[in-house]
Amino acid sequence: MHRPVLLIIAHGSRDPRHAETVHALVREVRTLRPGLRVETGFLDFNAPTVTGVLKRLAAEGVRDVVALPLLLTRAFHAKADIPAVLRAAPAGLRIRQAAVLGPSPLLMAALEQRLHEAGLSPADKSSTGVVLASAGSSDPEAIAVIAEIAREWRLTGWCAVRPAFASASLPRTADAVRALRAEPGVRRVAVAPYVLAPGFLPDRIARGAADADVLADVLGPAPAVARLLLRRYAEAYAPGDSRVATLARIPALA
């Protein structure tokens, strides 16, 4: 069966670490699925642009594309920006927009991996409070998803888990760190950035973690994140799979 091209759509940033991390994640995806063609496009700041990649694919005669937003929540970019760019694609392309990455147990696995790399062990969970620090959004749906992830993560054995946001919403990371210090049973506080790549807002999260005991790295090219990208790709293009109809995607373009 012909497999569509996987187009990973990243936001882009003036910070060069952002694109470097996106490319590292894409390399991990290619390692996991050597026979799959994987392309990368950016909405802003970095090249190649999503529009440029789509035009190149159409010129090469590619027909089918799965566009996968490199986003953790379904907010403005997933609901408006990306569909608008995809609707302007060359007419010869059939494009399906896959679901955003979160929420997913694989993202929780990646968060746990980053905390372990930062020095925590499974034995530390019962005495550690964790700040789940996301970029933030003005979209109530996205904020509710982060809060629910924090509640579910707490059930895996952490002493406490509190959400925090670098922009648009409250509390900020530093406030969540202070709140966890006051919770019974919390002997140390860790900050887990729920972001994919470095940049302005992740740096704000790091500054807010100044009084925490542990600061984990961004999710980046964690193997669980790469596996999740391939899962979203498969869900978006599974012929006859009823789950496909529930995904956030634009109609295939004739």
Side-chain angles (χ1 to χ4, degrees), residues 14-244:
R14 293 186 178 91
D15 189 323
R17 296 174 299 166
H18 176 90
E20 290 169 3
T21 303
V22 170
H23 292 312
L25 175 57
V26 172
R27 287 194 295 271
E28 183 73 18
V29 172
R30 288 174 176 148
T31 299
L32 292 175
R33 192 67 58 83
L36 176 64
R37 181 173 179 179
V38 185
E39 299 282 347
T40 310
F42 295 89
L43 291 174
D44 206 354
F45 303 117
N46 302 106
T49 65
V50 176
T51 299
V53 174
L54 292 171
K55 288 180 178 178
R56 174 166 52 81
L57 292 174
E60 293 176 12
V62 171
R63 291 286 292 166
D64 295 303
V65 176
V66 168
L68 199 164
L70 200 59
L71 300 170
L72 296 174
T73 58
R74 189 171 176 268
F76 180 78
H77 294 301
K79 293 177 180 179
D81 282 356
I82 292 175
V85 171
L86 297 181
R87 280 193 291 268
L93 292 175
R94 293 189 294 259
I95 303 175
R96 299 189 184 201
Q97 182 179 328
V100 298
L101 301 183
S104 169
L106 285 170
L107 290 175
M108 284 190 179
L111 287 167
E112 298 261 354
Q113 176 188 339
R114 293 299 186 230
L115 285 170
H116 294 163
E117 292 168 350
L120 292 178
S121 71
D124 296 320
K125 294 183 75 168
S126 63
S127 60
T128 301
V130 181
V131 178
L132 179 69
S134 75
S137 173
S138 58
D139 189 309
E141 177 186 345
I143 298 305
V145 167
I146 299 299
E148 181 60 26
I149 292 170
R151 285 191 290 269
E152 291 185 4
W153 202 17
R154 162 69 179 81
L155 298 177
T156 67
W158 295 101
C159 185
V161 179
R162 284 179 175 257
F165 308 94
S167 68
S169 304
L170 296 174
R172 296 287 185 257
T173 302
D175 297 328
V177 169
R178 283 192 291 270
L180 283 172
R181 291 281 185 210
E183 291 215 13
V186 173
R187 294 203 293 270
R188 66 181 64 78
V189 175
V191 174
Y194 190 63
V195 292
L196 287 164
F200 176 76
L201 293 179
D203 284 349
R204 181 179 288 178
I205 289 172
R207 291 193 297 271
D211 292 331
D213 302 296
V214 174
L215 172 62
D217 200 358
V218 299
L219 297 173
V225 178
R227 293 198 301 273
L228 179 56
L229 265 65
L230 289 171
R231 178 174 295 179
R232 293 290 185 257
Y233 168 83
E235 289 170 348
Y237 203 72
D241 190 336
S242 60
R243 292 173 300 172
V244 173

